[in-house]
Amino acid sequence: MALGLVLAVSGTAVGQVPSGGPQLPEQDRVLSRQIFKEFIEINSQDSNGSVTAVAEAARKELLAAGFAPEDLILAGPNGRKQNLVVRYRGAAGSTLKPILIIGHIDVVEARKEDWTTDPYQFVEKDGYFYGRGTQDMKDSDAIAVESFIRMKREGWVPKRDIVLAMTADEEGGASNGVDWLLKNRPELMKAEFVLNPDAGGVELRDGHATAMEVEATEKTYADFKLTTTNPGGHSSLPRPDNAIYELMHALEKLEANPFPIEVNPVTHAELGEEAKIAEPARAKLIAGVLAEPRDTNAVAEFVKAPTDNAKLRTTCVATMLGGGHAPNALPAMATANVNCRILPGHSQEQTRQELIKIFDDPKLKVEYMADDGTITPVAPGRESLAPPPPLPEVFNPLRAVTAEMWPGIPVIPIMEPGATDSTYTMMAGMPSYGVNGVAIDYNDLRMHGKDERVRVESFYRGAEFYYLYLKALTKP
């Protein structure tokens, strides 16, 4: 899920929608909420959930709306990881390639004891919908399904087919759905370009929209397993080379040595556009970041915000720890997971080598861990792909619908600081863009965290946006 720009906009008129602006009809509010609730209340986390159950629920809704069974394909490697590929048929005889929408229906692991509400109960309170997946990304899954149903009900005939792939294991696991479909059912996934609602989106400040972000490029994801070993022994006889201490020393070096600052063409354009609408103090900081040479004081102040820091550097952070085997024994082994989000132009193996330099400890093992948990001594050498061109058939309708929904806000291409399934479609040669219309408060980014939530009206506005955008993309 896109993490959002941090914009500071003066005044309150920008982004406000007049009362006569596009509004989601009541029957579609009811239906979209029903589908959203159903999706949220299905546990689809990797450890003990079922992606298939979400796919089957979506298929049932689409069958009831009149979609033909042959246009609702369930396919996947096993019973829990069935993906759903939906084809909305376009005009007969059209020679245009389809549009492909990809949306993962798995979610990050959630523990009930960590939450104020049950993560797998759909709760509406205080103007928000709560539940695991409300931001990442069952909101967009429900919106896509409801938009297909609404267009079908209205008899809309697009100028080209629209394909929706609802897929497994974007958040982890051994069966990434986009990758599996591209390798095993490529005929279902062929498209002119790809839309991925898992990235991009509308940012809110004080309840007002400030920018429509479009993912133009993204970082590469990598996990690295750190291991220290030791002969161990009796805890009454401490050794100076304790495995846990050695691991902690390495992690302290990681904390003290962030990766260097880099500005690539996408982030340069992103920050340049932001500076045009930012408050003077922030615009001055951005000018210092973009200056040649850079203003080191401006950079130091700018990167204090996690979202801004992630724009400018590869980030690597410890996310899991393990060590020891008994309370009265010296640890024979200690391990940590270091999660990295790597800037375009750098490979996972290059990043592993940089970590080795930072740790500067020949006794510390630094290994790569693949999405399926496989550990290897060397990481892949693949770098992020170059950003796709800003296709007019994608951006012209986007600007028009954005202006209708949120008058005055800019459309800004961004670098996604996380990582999404767009990496697979880009590698398959299909230009891919992160686009969605669900507005999220810049200071309320709860994807992957506890008490995940989305504004009720943001969800409904996002549903109206996506319906209008799909129609604008495919009008004859």
Side-chain angles (χ1 to χ4, degrees):
M1 180 71 178
L3 300 185
L5 289 170
V6 180
L7 302 181
V9 180
S10 58
T12 59
V14 171
Q16 288 182 295
V17 180
S19 58
Q23 301 291 328
L24 190 68
E26 181 60 27
Q27 70 181 112
D28 294 294
R29 288 174 71 97
V30 171
L31 179 58
S32 60
R33 186 188 190 280
Q34 170 200 315
I35 296 170
F36 193 18
K37 179 178 187 294
E38 187 172 14
F39 287 1
I40 292 296
E41 294 188 343
I42 297 171
N43 175 357
S44 55
Q45 65 187 21
D46 180 55
S47 63
N48 61 357
S50 172
V51 166
T52 302
V54 183
E56 289 176 337
R59 188 175 188 274
K60 182 179 178 181
E61 294 285 353
L62 291 159
L63 278 172
F67 282 81
E70 60 268 26
D71 290 334
L72 303 170
I73 305 299
L74 287 168
N78 58 60
R80 285 202 306 135
K81 305 292 184 175
Q82 292 291 299
N83 310 287
L84 176 66
V85 182
V86 183
R87 185 171 296 270
Y88 192 117
R89 297 284 176 178
S94 174
T95 59
L96 296 173
K97 290 183 178 180
I99 296 170
L100 173 62
I101 304 166
I102 56 174
H104 70 82
I105 48 178
D106 66 314
V107 293
V108 169
E109 302 283 323
R111 300 191 307 172
K112 185 176 180 179
E113 58 267 31
D114 293 337
W115 283 52
T116 305
T117 61
D118 184 332
Y120 293 112
Q121 180 183 355
F122 187 76
V123 175
E124 181 176 351
K125 66 175 183 177
D126 304 325
Y128 290 89
F129 293 132
Y130 286 80
R132 174 57 91 217
T134 48
Q135 284 191 14
D136 188 12
M137 59 165 292
K138 287 181 175 177
D139 56 339
S140 292
D141 296 325
I143 284 169
V145 170
E146 203 281 330
S147 295
F148 271 40
I149 293 172
R150 182 178 175 187
M151 291 189 296
K152 185 79 167 178
R153 182 178 70 233
E154 296 174 351
W156 178 254
V157 181
K159 66 181 179 182
R160 62 171 92 208
D161 288 2
I162 311 172
V163 177
L164 170 63
M166 305 179 72
T167 60
D169 287 9
E170 191 272 348
E171 300 293 6
S175 305
N176 182 276
V178 174
D179 186 39
W180 189 93
L181 288 166
L182 287 168
K183 289 176 179 175
N184 295 278
R185 298 296 303 272
E187 76 281 1
L188 299 176
M189 303 287 279
K190 292 179 180 177
E192 185 75 23
F193 58 85
V194 178
L195 302 177
N196 183 1
D198 194 27
V202 178
E203 185 196 70
L204 292 179
R205 284 186 74 93
D206 300 322
H208 300 286
T210 55
M212 166 63 79
E213 305 167 356
V214 183
E215 183 207 27
T217 189
E218 64 181 39
K219 290 183 169 181
T220 298
Y221 180 103
D223 283 307
F224 298 97
K225 182 180 180 182
L226 278 51
T227 306
T228 55
T229 56
N230 191 276
H234 201 283
S235 61
S236 65
L237 302 173
R239 303 168 55 97
D241 55 347
N242 184 296
I244 290 177
Y245 295 164
E246 290 176 346
L247 182 64
M248 293 304 102
H249 296 327
L251 294 178
E252 286 174 348
K253 291 179 182 177
L254 179 63
E255 180 186 21
N257 292 279
F259 279 63
I261 298 294
E262 294 184 37
V263 178
N264 61 44
V266 173
T267 51
H268 193 285
E270 174 185 344
L271 291 172
E273 288 297 316
E274 181 186 344
K276 295 176 184 178
I277 58 173
E279 291 180 347
R282 183 166 175 82
K284 184 177 180 181
L285 277 183
I286 293 172
V289 170
L290 299 181
E292 293 292 347
R294 296 190 189 99
D295 181 332
T296 55
N297 291 329
V299 170
E301 184 65 26
F302 188 79
V303 299
K304 288 181 180 179
T307 51
D308 290 332
N309 181 62
K311 289 187 183 79
L312 298 186
R313 56 165 49 110
T314 290
T315 60
C316 291
V317 60
T319 56
M320 298 178 72
L321 291 171
H325 60 280
N328 60 351
L330 299 176
M333 178 183 293
T335 63
N337 186 84
V338 169
N339 178 257
C340 295
R341 308 302 177 110
I342 304 165
L343 285 174
H346 301 274
S347 72
Q348 293 162 319
E349 175 58 20
Q350 182 183 353
T351 302
R352 191 182 75 88
Q353 292 296 333
E354 288 298 320
L355 289 173
I356 290 171
K357 291 179 183 177
I358 290 171
F359 298 137
D360 190 27
D361 182 356
K363 300 189 298 297
L364 178 69
K365 188 184 295 184
V366 183
E367 300 171 296
Y368 172 74
M369 185 170 71
D371 291 344
D372 64 0
T374 302
I375 305 292
T376 56
V378 177
R382 177 183 57 81
E383 299 176 358
S384 295
L385 297 174
L391 295 177
E393 54 263 52
V394 174
F395 280 84
N396 289 346
L398 177 60
R399 292 189 181 96
V401 176
T402 299
E404 188 178 5
M405 296 286 297
W406 300 280
I409 72 170
V411 174
I412 302 179
I414 66 164
M415 178 186 71
E416 166 57 40
T420 74
D421 280 336
S422 292
T423 186
Y424 297 106
T425 52
M426 285 287 287
M427 285 192 294
M430 294 181 284
S432 304
Y433 307 90
V435 179
N436 82 73
V438 178
I440 303 294
D441 296 83
Y442 84 99
N443 59 353
D444 196 37
L445 303 175
R446 301 193 182 195
M447 64 287 288
H448 296 203
K450 71 175 186 177
D451 294 343
E452 188 178 349
R453 67 182 187 176
V454 66
R455 286 178 183 254
V456 171
E457 288 307 314
S458 286
F459 173 72
Y460 292 136
R461 296 290 296 162
E464 179 68 8
F465 163 83
Y466 215 70
Y467 161 80
L468 293 175
Y469 184 48
L470 288 180
K471 291 188 72 173
L473 282 168
T474 61
K475 64 183 178 181

